[in-house]
């Protein structure tokens, strides 16, 4: 029983140490499954995969120059299946759900989680139910339906969607995944909400494992991470602890973790500033960065603990500047930056100005999704041209 609190997967790291050396990874496929000793599945044949490729580290020299910093790297998660890093968590969660005999899954979402769950559920042949607030970005609504989920719009918040999913989920006793008979909940499905379900965290953890390996088993000075539910940040912090226990890291120092939120929904920032361990839920949360629109995170204390232990901070971006930052990254680097990660650039500017980040430090920013999924945020009218009377002078002006 977990009393509604998050579950935490532990590994016998001594056994892992004996089973694998970090150099053994070199010959493995370039996907998140290369870290299998640090993932909870047992049988290779159970893996539900859509090709979770390792994502590149993009050296962003022009953007670095804009900020006056020595080295700025974007880890570009936008090219994962369904265009966001949510696929890392869902690939593993669906793999485990299916292996444990679950046939029906459900989740609340205000953004990319729904499409990712729907896609992996489709691949696994599971029935999938998605509940989202009616102001969820249009692409997220339609992708869930496209991948065959039974997707519903709810005239409420993500927390209302979460309640519908909980009510419809089998109780712990009735849950076939925990040895019960199943089906007691009204919807008869398994609740895949992040941190209520323990494996999405383990999947997102692979961001941290991958980053360490790609940087030659060293870590950057600073990580800027767009934080909603916090699964990615908590997962990476867990990854660094596990790598450190295995003795795989070249140095003992860990990155300072910056939890970046948007001013329209910044509960973690409020708690950080107030010195609290738990966050007060935000009312009337509003931000175009839908992945950050999490008014009350179940793992709030885990985010805040990790941020503080790392010597980092939680900081809020100016909501009104998100599109400007998306354009800057797109125009200078050709990076398809999602509004959530645009918040990290605003935070970077503030953190540099306040001296929380130094110009000589190595900074890694996670681009958690593709800008193309946010057509509402991208909506810019282009000037029209009459092909019969092209006016070169006006175009050059
Ligand atoms: C879900 C999401 C986030 C927030 O992720 P957490 O790990 O839950 O904090 C950030 N960016 C995008 C694009 C997302 O879809």
């Amino acid at each position: 029983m977990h009393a509604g609190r998050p579950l935490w997967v532990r590994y016998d790291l001594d056994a892992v140490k004996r089973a694998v050396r970090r150099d053994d990874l070199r010959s493995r496929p370039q996907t998140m499954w290369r870290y299998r000793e640090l993932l909870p599945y047992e049988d290779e044949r159970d893996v539900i995969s859509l090709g979770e490729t390792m994502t590149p580290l993009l050296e962003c020299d022009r953007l670095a120059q804009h900020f006056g910093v020595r080295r700025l790297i974007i880890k570009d998660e936008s090219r994962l299946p369904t265009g966001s890093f949510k696929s890392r968590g869902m690939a593993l969660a669906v793999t485990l759900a299916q292996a444990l005999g679950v046939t029906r899954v459900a989740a609340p979402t205000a953004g990319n989680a729904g499409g990712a769950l729907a896609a992996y559920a489709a691949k696994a042949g599971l029935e999938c139910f998605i509940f989202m607030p009616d102001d969820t970005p249009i692409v997220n609504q339609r992708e869930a339906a496209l991948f065959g989920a039974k997707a519903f719009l709810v005239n409420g918040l993500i927390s209302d969607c979460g309640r519908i999913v909980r009510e419809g989920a089998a109780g712990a006793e009735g849950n076939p995944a925990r040895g019960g008979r199943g089906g007691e909940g009204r919807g008869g499905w398994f609740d895949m909400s992040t941190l209520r379900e323990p494996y999405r965290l383990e999947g997102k953890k692979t961001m941290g494992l991958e980053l360490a390996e790609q940087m030659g088993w060293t870590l950057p000075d600073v990580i800027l991470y767009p934080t909603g539910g916090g699964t990615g940040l908590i997962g990476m912090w867990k990854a660094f602890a596990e790598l450190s226990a295995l003795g795989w890291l070249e140095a003992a120092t860990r990155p300072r973790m910056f939890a970046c939120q948007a001013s329209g929904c910044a509960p973690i920032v409020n708690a950080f500033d107030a010195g609290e361990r738990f966050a007060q839920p935000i009312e009337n949360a509003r931000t175009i960065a839908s992945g950050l629109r999490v008014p009350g995170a179940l793992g709030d204390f885990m985010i805040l603990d990790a941020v503080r232990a790392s010597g980092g901070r939680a900081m809020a971006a100016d909501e009104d500047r998100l599109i400007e930052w998306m354009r800057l990254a797109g125009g200078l680097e050709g990076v398809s930056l999602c509004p959530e990660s645009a918040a990290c650039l605003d935070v970077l500017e503030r953190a540099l100005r306040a001296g929380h980040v130094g110009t000589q430090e190595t900074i890694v920013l996670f681009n958690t999704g593709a800008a193309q999924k946010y057509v509402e945020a991208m909506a810019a009218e282009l000037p029209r041209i009459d092909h019969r009377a092209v006016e070169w002078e006006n175009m050059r002006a």
Side-chain angles (χ1 to χ4, degrees):
M1 296 305 263
H2 55 96
R5 288 284 183 207
L7 293 162
W8 193 254
V9 178
R10 285 181 206 283
Y11 299 85
D12 180 348
L13 292 171
D14 287 328
V16 172
K17 209 173 188 168
R18 286 191 298 274
V20 60
R21 290 163 308 148
R22 67 181 197 193
D23 289 344
D24 296 339
L25 300 180
R26 286 206 198 128
S27 57
R28 296 185 181 178
Q30 309 241 325
T31 72
M32 64 178 254
W33 309 98
R34 67 202 269 109
Y35 306 108
R36 59 178 180 247
E37 286 84 358
L38 291 171
L39 294 174
Y41 68 101
E42 278 172 16
D43 194 333
E44 237 17 78
R45 288 166 302 184
D46 289 340
V47 169
I48 306 294
S49 174
L50 293 168
E52 299 69 31
T53 180
M54 288 176 92
T55 61
L57 297 181
L58 306 175
E59 296 281 349
C60 294
D61 296 341
R62 306 183 76 203
L63 207 48
Q65 204 174 10
H66 171 89
F67 286 101
V69 299
R70 194 176 57 84
R71 196 168 178 212
L72 177 59
I73 298 167
I74 293 184
K75 185 157 173 62
D76 190 8
E77 299 280 303
S78 71
R79 54 194 79 197
L80 283 161
T82 70
S84 92
F85 79 127
K86 287 289 191 299
S87 49
R88 290 184 187 266
M90 290 303 187
L92 191 67
V94 169
T95 290
L96 268 291
Q98 204 207 29
L100 293 167
V102 171
T103 56
R104 210 176 225 206
V105 292
T109 182
N112 294 308
L117 176 57
Y120 285 94
K123 182 75 179 169
L126 305 182
E127 213 179 343
C128 179
F129 295 78
I130 302 292
F131 299 88
M132 46 197 148
D134 52 16
D135 56 353
T136 297
I138 193 77
V139 172
N140 296 132
Q141 297 181 23
R142 293 192 181 163
E143 66 179 342
L146 181 73
F147 295 129
K150 297 184 177 65
F152 301 91
L153 290 181
V154 176
N155 61 338
L157 304 171
I158 179 88
S159 46
D160 299 306
C161 299
R163 188 172 39 76
I164 294 173
V165 170
R166 278 197 300 287
E167 282 174 9
E173 326 72 54
N175 191 329
R178 310 223 180 91
R181 282 158 294 135
E184 272 91 338
R186 280 189 268 172
W189 54 58
F190 187 83
D191 183 352
M192 299 289 268
S193 305
T194 194
L195 293 173
R196 291 186 191 281
E197 186 287 343
Y199 304 123
R200 285 175 64 181
L201 177 77
E202 294 300 301
K204 284 191 176 181
K205 179 181 85 175
T206 59
M207 281 191 294
L209 302 175
E210 210 174 281
L211 177 67
E213 186 184 0
Q214 287 173 314
M215 294 188 74
W217 304 107
T218 64
L219 293 169
D221 299 304
V222 168
I223 287 181
L224 301 168
Y225 182 78
T227 305
T231 318
L233 188 146
I234 300 163
M236 278 195 274
W237 194 244
K238 185 174 191 284
F240 301 152
E242 288 171 359
L243 290 175
S244 169
L246 289 174
W248 287 11
L249 294 176
E250 292 293 325
T253 50
R254 310 247 179 107
R256 303 202 303 292
M257 307 293 286
F258 282 71
C260 307
Q261 301 200 300
S263 53
C265 182
I268 300 298
V269 177
N270 295 344
F272 181 84
D273 288 342
E276 305 281 348
R277 189 164 184 237
F278 294 91
Q280 295 294 328
I282 297 283
E283 283 178 31
N284 305 321
R286 284 194 86 81
T287 169
I288 59 160
S290 48
L292 306 185
R293 211 167 38 173
V294 181
L298 190 64
D300 53 359
F301 65 101
M302 299 159 99
I303 303 170
L304 286 155
D305 286 356
V307 164
R308 289 191 175 113
S310 77
R313 304 186 74 81
M315 295 179 71
D318 182 347
E319 176 69 30
D320 295 333
R321 293 190 71 190
L322 297 183
I323 291 175
E324 185 186 325
W325 291 117
M326 287 172 74
R327 291 217 179 107
L328 187 82
L332 286 183
E333 297 287 350
V335 170
S336 179
L337 200 75
C338 62
E340 290 83 351
S341 298
C344 298
L345 287 180
D346 198 61
V347 165
L348 177 59
E349 187 181 80
R350 288 157 189 266
L352 284 164
R353 203 185 300 140
H356 301 315
V357 172
T359 56
Q360 295 307 306
E361 297 192 292
T362 298
I363 303 158
V364 171
L365 185 158
F366 278 80
N367 182 33
T368 43
Q372 288 91 330
K373 299 191 80 175
Y374 302 79
V375 288
E376 294 93 338
M378 287 168 75
E381 290 293 327
L382 305 189
R384 293 186 171 277
I385 286 181
D386 180 349
H387 69 88
R388 292 159 304 192
V390 176
E391 290 183 50
W392 292 101
E393 291 314 316
N394 284 349
M395 271 195 269
R396 284 203 301 232

